[in-house]
Amino acid sequence: MFPSTLPVPRLPDARQVPVLRWGIVGPGWIADHFASALRNHTDQQLVAVSSRSRDKAQAFARKWSISHACMGINELLARDDIDAVYIATPHNRHFPDGLRVIEAGKHLLIEKPLALNAAQAKQLQQAATARNVLCIEAMWCNFTPKYDVIRQLLADGALGDIHSLIADHGEFFSTDHRIFNAELAGGPLLDLGSYLVSFSVGVGGAPDTIVAKGQNATAEINGQTSMLFTHANGMHSVLHTTLFSNTPGSAVIAGRDASLVLDGQFYAPGNFRLISSDGQRTLHWQEPNNRYVQLCHEINHFAWCIGQNRFDSPIHSLNSAIVTLAAMDEVRKQIGVVFNEEQQP
């Protein structure tokens, strides 16, 4: 039945969000947004930052009034005044850096993708379980109010039987960007495509079948990939990502009773419409396009999990991150993408 109003987002009770002492590994552009969200929109404490360059660590520490600038991850992990670590290093460093954080007994929020492949992600999961520490992939969109409203609509059956999910995410990048660097696991799939595949898995579950076609940007780097997933519930996901050009970045979840139409970029804060199949009724979700301000939601959710003595997220579990990576592993197999770290000696 078409709802009369949209659900209300469910956010953690601030009284149940303990104040953690955070360290950041990798002071790049996403870490800059993370630090801003933490400082300005949460009650969390930012204690230390590390980089392989002390100058970079010190500059970041000065900008965000962080007490300790560390030369390398080991110096940061040796500190006993850090409860949680945010990993914001390049993709190919997520797995080794994440393991070191877990081995040091610190709770871990690790930028997406969780690792390069599902096998690495499972190792992180096993290590975190063995050490009784929280490990969450920072798929930030999943923790936003917008995505919580969408999850409630899906759980309530507001769309009826879902048959189609269509989503794209394309951006233009100049060739000097890290996405063109094979040494950093470049290409659009782990960067842009992870939003698409995670979105598809979140709605339809693990794909039963996958068909993928790719086009190279260079001899070493994939430039764009198109994917067709089929799911056990009968849903088809049609997904496309590219680094050659800007695309609308919108998404549609089409059900028998209603369709959910998300404005581009679909994963970011922004608007969507729930439209009845007869076209007679529409509900609107509207919010400021305040983008990375909403990193605060993943930060607060992470701290809430610690306060609840949870070692996995009820919103974005490690299993869901592993399923997403397994799907991307199959996509890469079909389009012939093997990362340097996966090459056989």
Side-chain angles (χ1 to χ4, degrees), residues 3-145:
S4 57
T5 60
L6 291 175
V8 175
R10 300 163 297 186
L11 299 177
D13 185 340
R15 296 168 297 181
Q16 296 181 331
V17 179
V19 176
L20 304 180
R21 299 167 297 177
W22 288 79
I24 292 177
V25 177
W29 74 271
I30 189 60
D32 199 56
H33 289 297
F34 182 90
S36 176
L38 187 148
R39 278 278 189 240
N40 298 318
H41 301 282
T42 80
D43 294 325
Q44 303 296 297
Q45 296 179 359
L46 196 45
V47 173
V49 59
S50 76
S51 173
R52 289 175 294 179
S53 163
R54 189 173 293 277
D55 287 346
K56 287 184 179 179
Q58 289 175 338
F60 193 90
R62 284 194 299 271
K63 180 175 182 179
W64 296 109
S65 301
I66 301 171
S67 301
H68 305 286
C70 303
M71 179 64 182
I73 189 173
N74 288 339
E75 186 177 323
L76 184 144
L77 293 178
R79 302 192 61 84
D80 59 7
D81 58 353
I82 293 175
D83 305 308
V85 176
Y86 171 63
I87 296 291
T89 48
H91 295 156
N92 61 334
R93 295 299 311 171
H94 290 184
F95 172 65
D97 290 344
L99 272 184
R100 291 165 86 174
V101 173
I102 291 169
E103 289 164 359
K106 311 288 189 186
H107 300 295
L108 172 63
L109 179 64
I110 188 165
E111 254 310 320
K112 60 90 182 166
L114 185 65
L116 291 183
N117 53 53
Q120 288 185 350
K122 288 176 183 176
Q123 284 185 253
L124 287 172
Q125 183 184 48
Q126 291 164 358
T129 299
R131 292 303 301 268
N132 282 329
V133 298
L134 176 66
C135 177
I136 295 180
E137 180 188 46
M139 185 64 72
W140 68 290
C141 52
N142 284 6
F143 306 98
T144 60

Side-chain angles (χ1 to χ4, degrees), residues 118-189:
Q120 288 185 350
K122 288 176 183 176
Q123 284 185 253
L124 287 172
Q125 183 184 48
Q126 291 164 358
T129 299
R131 292 303 301 268
N132 282 329
V133 298
L134 176 66
C135 177
I136 295 180
E137 180 188 46
M139 185 64 72
W140 68 290
C141 52
N142 284 6
F143 306 98
T144 60
K146 170 181 165 180
Y147 262 51
D148 184 64
V149 171
I150 292 171
R151 280 192 297 271
Q152 291 184 68
L153 289 170
L154 294 173
D156 292 343
L159 280 71
D161 293 336
I162 297 172
H163 296 282
S164 302
L165 182 151
I166 304 170
D168 93 284
H169 188 189
E171 294 184 41
F172 167 79
F173 292 93
S174 58
T175 55
D176 59 350
H177 192 276
R178 63 166 177 79
I179 205 169
F180 278 90
N181 190 344
E183 297 296 320
L184 300 177
L189 195 59

